[in-house]
Amino acid sequence: MYYQQLVSFLSERTFKANKDGIFLSSLDPPNVAVILLDMYPNMFTEYDVQDEEKFTINLEDLKKIMTKVCIKESNIMGNR
């Protein structure tokens, strides 16, 4: 999953969200690699952003949340 690789480069970053999607553009800490992440509205079940918003996420926390979501989702899918 993309978030696991992202966490290995970055700890906390600010994302930009607008009607076109959610975007991240950042340098890794030693300024060697540029990290670009584009998530478009069609990648979400629901997406509704009218004005540009910026939000900061601790990516280590996001990794923990996504791991729990993936485990829960696989349990739900396995119970069908």
Side-chain angles (χ1 to χ4, degrees):
M1 303 248 174
Y2 71 88
Y3 60 88
Q4 293 170 335
Q5 288 80 22
L6 199 59
V7 170
S8 68
F9 286 104
L10 307 170
S11 59
E12 183 176 286
R13 287 295 180 254
T14 300
F15 290 75
K16 179 178 75 171
N18 59 37
K19 65 179 178 59
D20 298 320
I22 299 173
F23 307 97
L24 170 69
S25 176
S26 184
L27 286 171
D28 69 335
N31 295 333
V32 175
V34 174
I35 290 107
L36 301 172
L37 176 64
D38 297 342
M39 296 179 283
Y40 299 103
N42 64 351
M43 299 172 79
F44 298 90
T45 303
E46 291 182 38
Y47 187 84
D48 182 24
V49 176
Q50 301 304 315
D51 300 319
E52 183 167 295
E53 309 260 344
K54 291 187 179 178
F55 58 93
T56 301
I57 296 178
N58 179 304
L59 297 172
E60 189 62 44
D61 290 344
L62 177 64
K63 178 181 173 184
K64 291 174 188 175
I65 291 166
M66 293 301 293
T67 300
K68 289 179 183 180
V69 167
C70 290
I71 288 170
K72 186 174 183 177
E73 186 175 277
S74 83
N75 287 339
I76 290 170
M77 297 300 279
N79 291 332
R80 289 185 177 196

